[in-house]
Amino acid sequence: MQIRVINPNTTRGMTDTIGNAAQAIASPGTLISATQPAHGPVSIESHFDEAISATGVLEEVAAGERDGVDAYIIACFGDPGLLAARELTRAPVIGIAEAAFHMATLISTRFSVVTTLGRTGIIAEHLLEQYGFRHHCRRVRAAEIPVLDLEDDGDAALTRIIEEGRRARDEDGIGALVLGCGGMADLTDEIAEAVGLPVVEGVTAAVKLTEALVGLGLGTSKVGDLAFPRPKPFIGRYAHFSDHEASGNDETR
Amino acid sequence: MQIRVINPNTTRGMTDTIGNAAQAIASPGTLISATQPAHGPVSIESHFDEAISATGVLEEVAAGERDGVDAYIIACFGDPGLLAARELTRAPVIGIAEAAFHMATLISTRFSVVTTLGRTGIIAEHLLEQYGFRHHCRRVRAAEIPVLDLEDDGDAALTRIIEEGRRARDEDGIGALVLGCGGMADLTDEIAEAVGLPVVEGVTAAVKLTEALVGLGLGTSKVGDLAFPRPKPFIGRYAHFSDHEASGNDETR
Amino acid sequence: MQIRVINPNTTRGMTDTIGNAAQAIASPGTLISATQPAHGPVSIESHFDEAISATGVLEEVAAGERDGVDAYIIACFGDPGLLAARELTRAPVIGIAEAAFHMATLISTRFSVVTTLGRTGIIAEHLLEQYGFRHHCRRVRAAEIPVLDLEDDGDAALTRIIEEGRRARDEDGIGALVLGCGGMADLTDEIAEAVGLPVVEGVTAAVKLTEALVGLGLGTSKVGDLAFPRPKPFIGRYAHFSDHEASGNDETR
Amino acid sequence: MQIRVINPNTTRGMTDTIGNAAQAIASPGTLISATQPAHGPVSIESHFDEAISATGVLEEVAAGERDGVDAYIIACFGDPGLLAARELTRAPVIGIAEAAFHMATLISTRFSVVTTLGRTGIIAEHLLEQYGFRHHCRRVRAAEIPVLDLEDDGDAALTRIIEEGRRARDEDGIGALVLGCGGMADLTDEIAEAVGLPVVEGVTAAVKLTEALVGLGLGTSKVGDLAFPRPKPFIGRYAHFSDHEASGNDETR
Amino acid sequence: MQIRVINPNTTRGMTDTIGNAAQAIASPGTLISATQPAHGPVSIESHFDEAISATGVLEEVAAGERDGVDAYIIACFGDPGLLAARELTRAPVIGIAEAAFHMATLISTRFSVVTTLGRTGIIAEHLLEQYGFRHHCRRVRAAEIPVLDLEDDGDAALTRIIEEGRRARDEDGIGALVLGCGGMADLTDEIAEAVGLPVVEGVTAAVKLTEALVGLGLGTSKVGDLAFPRPKPFIGRYAHFSDHEASGNDETR
Amino acid sequence: MQIRVINPNTTRGMTDTIGNAAQAIASPGTLISATQPAHGPVSIESHFDEAISATGVLEEVAAGERDGVDAYIIACFGDPGLLAARELTRAPVIGIAEAAFHMATLISTRFSVVTTLGRTGIIAEHLLEQYGFRHHCRRVRAAEIPVLDLEDDGDAALTRIIEEGRRARDEDGIGALVLGCGGMADLTDEIAEAVGLPVVEGVTAAVKLTEALVGLGLGTSKVGDLAFPRPKPFIGRYAHFSDHEASGNDETR
């Protein structure tokens, strides 16, 4: 089984961090291939960065389809392009925010999130609402560290995440902590030990969830609103999407 | 006052339809400039089309900033790129789904939506949830017409929309009907007359809402999560976003 | 276009404040006629005051219908009598709480409210729930000033509102502030400057929203539950409502 | 114990129907005194009728306070003036919609409502939302009978209510039926027998709920937002409210 | 009328406390018979304790049916086995959490709960969600006292409950306080006096609610999902449930 | 890794069906041990059956702890005793309703459920509400077959499930179907093929989810409300629970 882990930003170091964390947790028969878009922002810290990154994610999914990939992970905590990516494939596609939220509700009744910058908290809140977990999450907290500090100034970043995690433990009445950034994928154990709570990290959670779906023979439904997109012309730099051969004999409504 | 109406798809005829409808409803002092992205799909009928179109919308907003535009309208019923666009400007940015939903709640207690294809209904449902109008909307209905049929086979499309609108009137217990596609902007009056309900159309609604916001001196908040994005490098075909000069002295959190 | 701005309390000074703020923001072709009921409380600070004031609001709407008014604004933050008023007319009717909430969601993802007395906070909460904005509003705060202090002791009132607004800015994670009393209509700019957040005030917001609706040719739906009331006898001091001539040929259900 | 049952409309026959039904269900030591406003509509079939009737309800509560009444029931299914009435007294005040909804959730997991006119369904929906029972109610149905037909053409009205109740039983997956009009208070048994479901009627339910609250020594909280209204001048026909002597030493916020 | 008050734990002293409080509030014609299971935990302080206690509750209901009991109260704040118990009888069955929540919403717009241990707060939260009162309850608080301390160290327990109740009064913006444990049934008056808020206690509230339902002739609906369970074999220590004679001629779906 | 699959009813044939389906989907290194309680109903078709079965589930978990089991599955669609079971162990515990709902949201935007008897639909509805998936599920449908018919009259049962599944596909606007009974675990493929939708079955979904959690090193949180129960005496037939040795040094609140 090959899982394509897509880092939606264009920072190679973070792709490696994410890919390594994914491979480390993967089952023996699972091959992780970590990629990143050829086009896009070096980090994702706003709705704007996220919207731009989504097109890169979609191109990576299209490439994955040509490579015969079995499942996809979108490794940014805003789950950029998730539903669009699902339309492109019969394979499962999992976002890391989604994966972490689901897993957290299975081991605790209430959890909190620690993300990077406060301004991205709203993205997590909107996802919690859409996925149904608004009331399972007590609070979305921010360590107020830029995403790339996780790469460039890892120790200071770790310290701040742990501090915020401890505040969550002491103030929020929670049973688990969710890490709110793909770049934290290698910090899970240290944070869990320092905070004294089960810590759910999205990249690793998504690897196991995609393995689970593939094991069940379940892929993205091609009936209804996640069916392949209707083929149509695309203009300009997206012209290469014009000929995507969605299997035209699928049921759509 | 100049309002930039952005048709997120790349079909010039639809841009004209939308621009004309917008100009027709605009106040005397309002100049409508209708544009479309240089890159993207000819119509938007899926999450995929929508995600791709969002980058074009953002480039049109960036261009509008250079042109000194006073307000923006995103003229596709999925409101693609709405929050990202808001980050790029101090001006108001309004989506047409949003505009139509707001206006419909001001003239009725319950409304239904008639959109083009059933598969895009989920996009409207997600927006209704995010905006808070889940319970104000009785039902999202589809006329099951491809978007470009509004351009190419207008009479048949109109007939089907009216049929579905009448079903909504008879079955849903509503006081108003919302048209769920920017390409219907020129059909409002005919549909209203044929259905016998107030019909709220998003392009025209958005023009008046943006005029209202500009008149109030209200623009997108630059405090908190809609502040200008943090400047950073973008790679590849988005490199031109690297130097976007968000006013760095704004408060962010 | 004539907009009838109804101050639901019977304090002339507040009617003037509201009327002036409304006229100042109105478009060139818009005439504001500000009125107040002949009967009712001098200020509205409880469910009781609000219920009494509603009948006065309705009489002002009935009078407006005789005067050929084009739209109505109910200028108390509890939106007293809003749905009842809508039943009396084909014109749009907008409450100032409603107007402020709608506008605030268009320029920010989350807002807080600063109202006068804590005991009226529940009124705002109920409206937020009914309108769909429960989750867009982080917190309803009170400056703990009686309504008429806005008239009688304006400086002290202003100081307290600003203090509470700054607390909202610092503690609530918001992008905009909503002023929760019609009597604050002339304080918007000072508060915005002092707090450093976009401030949405309901009277002015409602003027622009009603202009928008009239411009769109949209009025209160007369199909379904906002149709004209069924004619019937009224007893005693409300006997004059017995002969209200709702256009009997409207559809009702 | 004296319970004041207030029929919010001004039709004496309906007051008698309601009062008789209340007395018939009351405990031995309970005296029912049924009243109606001196001013207001002969029936309540719209938001407008309801808003007007609320002032009459409040005057009846004020009169009840002078009479030393122990509890109040507002016997119209829209619960007009409920929170305002609570502010006027330390005694419990119960609305019949509220009473019926609460009781229905204690004997079934899901219920439906049969009300008079479809246009008043929205009033019931808003109350269900405010009280928290949105999801416990499967459907608000209408028999499409004017309220006074319950008095004037009782047999035909009963037939239609039973028909609609049977549809509810067969289609809605419910365990109980709620009658949505005070004027149906004498029809409960016949409807229950004909429909074959437990039928919850609000007047009778409210009598037992008020007896329960009085028995518990619980009355309307005078701490916080239901405290007595702040004393203030009222103008015109409401001048008599100016001197209402709310016990000024209560805590308010 | 005989009301069977079931203390779901097996501590006789608490059964007596609860039974006495119930009898003290009961109407003259009401006989309270307080019982406790023969099998189960001495106190209920976790999901585990609650699940075990439910079977004892059901046996007490089955016994009550043989005794011709008119109504049942489940006197633990988690309402263990509530819906199951309803299936066993045509009589009303009321949980004390449910009873307290309902009554609290009738005398205040917002309330808080003070329960025993923080870890049981989630049980109250889940019930608030299921019953519809999520937004009526500001906060579930814990005095952090083990349940049996109410019996064994009553003064210290009372002190802590009062302290937490005062914090609720000062911080939560509420009009009433709900006591979150059946073992507090005899403390209501002291707490109310000390805290200065109306205090709603579940055992007493449930007595009056069951009297109310019996007075209305309303019992648990036997149509639909609360119908008697389908007869079937039970194995092992539950074999005695095999022959429960649910009236087989009831409608089920 | 050993997963203990607990069939909450006492029908051996169903335990085998469930165990075989679980083993068939399990990963190579996973040992499935399927058990059933020594005490309880032969099938679970009501709140009553479910409450009784929960104690058996808890005894099986306690036994599993002595056996050193790595994870637990509760294989009845009502997830009986789920939170209580979690309190007893550091291992993950997954209910099959929960598992199916989670997986269904990962491959579709909306799903429907087909369960056995209509009367148990309310159990699924309550779980959907508690887990957060109320709006992801369009409809809970029933094939109206008793649970044991799945064992005794499999062909007729399968036919009815397929019929109801096709109605769901045609009427509900869904992308996936959830099977609402553990006894359907061996029918998944046939139903999927016949209905033409992805079918999510809970037993198999739960196996993969528990493998995922164990792979992540995540177990039930022992901080907060899922901590081990406080040790205490149990009376009568539950006396053996008195000495359960919850690791007393865990943090509880």
Side-chain angles (χ1 to χ4, degrees), chain F residues 5-9 13-23 32 34 73 75-76 96 151 182-186 201 203 207:
Chain F
V5 179
I6 303 167
N7 170 23
N9 75 34
M14 193 166 288
T15 306
D16 293 343
T17 300
I18 288 169
N20 292 339
Q23 190 66 65
I32 299 292
I73 291 172
C76 166
I96 65 168
E151 295 288 308
M184 302 178 186
D186 55 339
E201 189 281 320
V203 174
V207 169

Side-chain angles (χ1 to χ4, degrees), chain F residues 47-65:
Chain F
H47 297 289
F48 175 75
D49 295 346
E50 192 175 295
I52 298 300
S53 72
T55 63
V57 168
L58 296 174
E59 284 172 335
E60 294 305 308
V61 173
E65 290 295 281

Side-chain angles (χ1 to χ4, degrees), chain B residues 57-218:
Chain B
V57 167
L58 296 174
E59 284 172 335
E60 293 306 308
V61 172
E65 291 296 281
R66 292 189 294 272
D67 298 348
V69 160
D70 298 293
Y72 300 88
I73 291 171
I74 301 177
C76 166
F77 204 75
D79 294 354
L82 179 61
L83 292 177
R86 283 190 178 143
E87 290 178 339
L88 294 184
T89 176
R90 296 178 178 283
V93 185
I94 302 288
I96 65 168
E98 169 182 63
F101 295 152
H102 280 271
M103 290 309 201
T105 68
L106 298 177
I107 61 166
S108 67
T109 58
R110 296 291 187 261
F111 62 85
S112 284
V113 177
V114 176
T115 186
T116 49
L117 296 175
R119 66 176 294 162
T120 63
I122 192 69
I123 297 176
E125 288 190 31
H126 283 161
L127 294 180
L128 286 162
E129 291 170 14
Q130 183 179 324
Y131 299 157
F133 302 128
R134 184 206 302 268
H135 297 292
H136 300 77
C137 178
R138 290 276 189 212
R139 194 163 161 188
V140 178
R141 291 168 169 273
E144 296 302 353
I145 44 173
V147 168
L148 293 186
D149 278 16
L150 290 164
E151 294 288 308
D152 303 337
D153 190 8
D155 286 351
L158 179 60
T159 300
R160 291 217 218 143
I161 296 166
I162 289 171
E163 284 171 1
E164 195 66 25
R166 286 173 173 162
R167 273 194 285 273
R169 178 200 61 193
D170 295 341
E171 299 172 7
D172 296 357
I174 55 174
L177 194 68
V178 165
L179 299 186
C181 179
M184 301 177 186
D186 55 341
L187 309 177
T188 315
D189 292 348
E190 276 174 285
I191 298 170
E193 188 164 337
V195 173
L197 276 178
V199 169
V200 184
E201 188 281 319
V203 173
T204 45
V207 170
K208 300 318 265 185
L209 267 181
T210 48
E211 288 181 346
L213 285 166
V214 171
L216 288 163
L218 289 173

Side-chain angles (χ1 to χ4, degrees), chain D residues 23-76:
Chain D
Q23 189 66 64
I25 201 74
S27 295
T30 301
L31 173 69
I32 299 292
S33 54
T35 67
Q36 62 191 15
H39 311 272
V42 297
S43 64
I44 300 178
E45 299 171 317
S46 64
H47 297 289
F48 176 75
D49 295 345
E50 192 174 296
I52 298 300
S53 73
T55 64
V57 167
L58 297 174
E59 284 172 335
E60 293 305 308
V61 172
E65 290 297 281
R66 292 188 294 271
D67 298 348
V69 160
D70 298 292
Y72 299 88
I73 291 171
I74 301 177
C76 166

Side-chain angles (χ1 to χ4, degrees), chain E residues 137-203:
Chain E
C137 179
R138 290 278 188 211
R139 192 162 162 190
V140 177
R141 291 168 170 272
E144 296 302 353
I145 44 174
V147 167
L148 293 186
D149 279 16
L150 289 166
E151 295 287 309
D152 303 336
D153 190 9
D155 287 350
L158 179 61
T159 300
R160 291 217 217 142
I161 296 167
I162 288 171
E163 284 171 2
E164 195 66 26
R166 286 174 172 161
R167 274 194 285 273
R169 178 199 62 194
D170 295 341
E171 299 172 7
D172 297 357
I174 54 175
L177 193 69
V178 165
L179 299 186
C181 179
M184 301 177 187
D186 55 340
L187 308 177
T188 316
D189 292 346
E190 278 174 284
I191 297 170
E193 188 164 336
V195 173
L197 276 178
V199 170
V200 185
E201 189 280 321
V203 173

